[in-house]
Amino acid sequence: MAEQRALRAPIDHEVLLGEIQHLLGALADVETDFAVACEERGWRPSGEGAPSPDRATLEAERQRRREPLIRRLDSLDRACRALQAGNAA
């Protein structure tokens, strides 16, 4: 299993940048989908007012989609810092 992770691990700054751009685009899609869904229902995406069950469901779906993207961005951030530290040595 560690070998599979090693094969998927970014190897240089260009690969890291590409993955980061992809993930940021995916996060933007999640946020845009949420904002559009709120707008279609006449809600403000900022979450003003008491959340209805429908809004809570929509926010839970947003969070479910965001979490793996945020975890991967954190992983790429660590890889980027390690690459930067390796280049400084």
Side-chain angles (χ1 to χ4, degrees):
M1 198 177 270
E3 290 176 6
Q4 288 177 336
R5 284 190 187 151
L7 292 175
R8 290 190 320 229
I11 55 173
D12 64 24
H13 68 281
E14 290 180 18
V15 174
L16 282 170
L17 179 60
E19 271 204 68
I20 289 168
Q21 288 172 332
H22 173 77
L23 286 167
L24 290 175
L27 274 172
D29 289 344
V30 170
E31 294 304 318
T32 300
D33 291 349
F34 177 74
V36 168
C38 286
E39 194 171 298
E40 287 172 348
R41 291 164 175 81
W43 304 330
R44 293 185 179 196
S46 62
E48 294 174 5
S52 69
D54 290 339
R55 184 180 178 96
T57 300
L58 189 61
E59 288 177 351
E61 174 66 13
R62 173 188 180 205
Q63 190 61 26
R64 183 194 65 76
R65 291 176 61 197
R66 282 175 50 91
E67 283 182 19
L69 299 172
I70 296 297
R71 281 195 306 270
R72 182 64 180 144
L73 275 173
D74 287 343
S75 170
L76 291 175
D77 180 50
R78 287 189 301 274
C80 209
R81 290 175 193 275
L83 185 63
Q84 187 176 23
N87 287 339

